[in-house]
Amino acid sequence: MKRKDFVLAVEGLTVSFDGFKAVNDLSFYVEEEEIRVIIGPNGAGKTTVLDLICGKTKSTHGSIKFRGKELTKMTEHAIVNEGIGRKFQNPSIYEDLTVFENLEISFPRGHSVFGALVFKRDAEVIAAVEEVAETIFLADSLDKTAGLLSHGQKQWLEIGMLLIQKPDLLMLDEPVAGMSVAERKQTAQLLNRITKNRSVIVIEHDMQFVEDIAHRVTVLHQGKMLSEGSMQKVKSDPKVVEVYLGH
Ligand code: ADP
Ligand code: MG
């Protein structure tokens, strides 16, 4: 079978915590502009997979290649610089700052600027903040203190703080947990909007949401891949029904 170009190739990935293999010989491939959703029961190793990709946890065996570059030996910081952004389960925004300021401080610093260039840069930052605010449904809330946003809006803001860094691979861990049905629908819309030249990996339990966004689904169980394919395919896989969807 001919494979489309993939951005991320995970092969034989294993991590052992005191002999317990939280991720066990896992291989999967994510394509350009794909939204991949990882599902599976609690403790399956989903979050650990993201920890391994972003370098927070070091693998015991295996390889993670991003656009052909091996990530397993790189620092977290270097991995961010390669273009990988990751959102954790709990939003980490600056509650006392405004939406604008939260986005502004997330704008990549780049090289130092001098004199006349500062104005140009200010205009660039403002344009980027406004563009991202539009994408995350917060264009009318730029001056609002982030602490006053709804739970869902805080989640979007954190996604925005990643988007402003223009990652090529964005990873989100349970982004719609605690959101209203309407906010979940909007989040699906948001994700479907941002895949131009970008791949997204999402961990989620909400099957309606998964259905709304997933190009392909990878099902994890006890650190291993249980099933993979379209939502339709994994939903009707008896192994998946037995260990996950049946509950
Ligand atoms: P999921 O996100 O699918 O619910 P996790 O990846 O968080 O699962 O955890 C998978 C398993 O690995 C769990 O049994 C968890 O307790 C264990 N685990 C995760 N991180 C560590 C760690 N740093 N040290 C020891 N055990 C860990
Ligand atoms: Mg988890």
Side-chain angles (χ1 to χ4, degrees):
M1 194 184 85
K2 193 173 180 294
R3 208 191 281 283
K4 257 171 67 181
D5 281 351
F6 44 74
V7 263
L8 187 77
V10 171
E11 291 181 331
L13 190 63
T14 301
V15 66
S16 176
F17 298 120
D18 295 324
F20 167 72
K21 289 179 176 167
V23 173
N24 191 354
D25 196 21
L26 179 69
S27 300
F28 67 95
Y29 303 84
V30 178
E31 290 175 355
E32 299 277 0
E33 303 194 344
E34 177 182 353
I35 302 181
R36 171 68 55 92
V37 181
I38 302 178
I39 63 171
N42 283 327
K46 303 180 298 296
T47 298
T48 305
V49 169
L50 298 198
D51 289 344
L52 287 161
I53 296 170
C54 78
K56 183 170 174 258
T57 298
K58 290 295 163 199
S59 62
T60 313
H61 297 292
S63 148
I64 303 168
K65 284 203 181 75
F66 180 64
R67 301 216 154 121
K69 208 163 184 179
E70 182 61 50
L71 301 184
T72 50
K73 301 289 181 291
M74 286 170 61
T75 63
E76 273 188 89
H77 183 73
I79 291 169
V80 168
N81 286 339
E82 287 299 319
I84 299 183
R86 188 257 177 99
K87 183 189 172 313
F88 290 86
Q89 264 166 278
N90 300 315
S92 56
I93 57 170
Y94 299 93
E95 302 252 339
D96 297 337
L97 299 184
T98 65
V99 169
F100 184 96
E101 289 162 343
N102 268 280
L103 293 170
E104 184 186 28
I105 53 168
S106 307
F107 190 86
R109 293 291 125 218
H111 302 290
S112 59
V113 287
F114 305 96
L117 284 175
V118 172
F119 284 115
K120 193 170 161 245
R121 173 160 173 96
D122 282 352
E124 187 191 345
V125 174
I126 291 168
V129 166
E130 285 174 349
E131 190 193 330
V132 167
E134 191 74 44
T135 308
I136 60 172
F137 317 109
L138 292 175
D140 296 330
S141 307
L142 280 171
D143 295 329
K144 196 164 181 175
T145 304
L148 299 176
L149 298 173
S150 74
H151 169 77
Q153 290 174 320
K154 287 179 185 173
Q155 300 277 357
W156 294 336
L157 178 56
E158 200 186 358
I159 293 173
M161 291 164 74
L162 292 167
L163 285 178
I164 205 159
Q165 300 172 45
K166 297 195 182 304
D168 297 322
L169 172 65
L170 183 63
M171 305 195 291
L172 308 171
D173 200 345
E174 303 193 17
V176 301
M179 280 190 187
S180 68
V181 173
E183 286 172 335
R184 285 167 195 235
K185 282 281 170 210
Q186 274 183 283
T187 307
Q189 215 184 81
L190 194 172
L191 294 187
N192 284 315
R193 268 184 202 173
I194 61 167
T195 51
K196 184 107 193 76
N197 302 318
R198 171 176 299 133
S199 306
V200 181
I201 301 178
V202 184
I203 294 174
E204 224 359 287
H205 288 290
D206 178 339
M207 284 306 126
Q208 182 56 54
F209 179 74
V210 176
E211 195 127 31
D212 288 344
I213 60 164
H215 298 164
R216 276 190 295 173
V217 178
T218 297
V219 188
L220 283 192
H221 179 51
Q222 297 178 343
K224 285 178 169 281
M225 186 188 296
L226 186 69
S227 186
E228 188 175 77
S230 66
M231 183 63 177
Q232 217 44 48
K233 182 188 159 200
V234 302
K235 248 189 1 191
S236 53
D237 183 335
K239 295 193 303 277
V240 178
V241 174
E242 189 190 329
V243 311
Y244 186 55
L245 295 176
H247 296 278

